[in-house]
Amino acid sequence: MSKSITPQETRDSDFAGIMAGLDEAVAHAEGRPEGAGVRVHAPESVDVAAIRKGQKLTQEGFASAYGLPVATVRDWEQHRREPDTGSRLLLKVIQHEPEAVRRALAG
């Protein structure tokens, strides 16, 4: 008989995959050897407000859902600060796979 995979194991696996991808992407962006061979196209900019609004979340709800400081979300949306490479990559993953990110962060 095969062993059933628990929801926690699924979240752990999702989180590990997301983090490994982000680590590789950041390494690549920084020119570190562990990023060699990885072809990641980090967006130059992201529309944080559009990503958040696409999920029908307030700034507070978006920040809470993804473990971000609400002040950071506000700064990004009001263009007082721009997300760094890792944050832009995470925001793109949130835009396209929000449930995977939520599962990964729920554990």
Side-chain angles (χ1 to χ4, degrees), residues 6-100:
T6 68
Q8 181 64 44
E9 290 171 324
T10 299
R11 283 191 297 274
D12 290 349
S13 176
D14 288 345
F15 181 75
I18 290 168
M19 288 308 298
L22 288 173
D23 287 343
E24 288 178 2
V26 170
H28 175 74
E30 293 175 349
R32 289 185 276 139
E34 61 269 30
V38 175
R39 189 169 185 104
V40 175
H41 298 281
E44 289 296 317
S45 65
V46 292
D47 188 340
V48 179
I51 294 168
R52 175 183 60 78
K53 289 174 184 176
Q55 295 183 32
K56 298 178 174 55
L57 292 172
T58 63
Q59 288 176 335
E60 293 81 4
F62 186 81
S64 177
Y66 300 109
L68 301 166
V70 70
T72 298
V73 173
R74 287 186 182 127
D75 285 347
W76 288 342
E77 289 191 13
Q78 295 170 9
H79 304 286
R80 289 191 295 255
R81 288 182 41 211
E82 292 297 318
D84 61 18
T85 302
S87 297
R88 289 192 314 270
L89 290 167
L90 176 61
L91 287 162
K92 289 304 280 187
V93 174
I94 290 170
Q95 181 178 17
H96 295 284
E97 297 290 341
E99 291 307 315

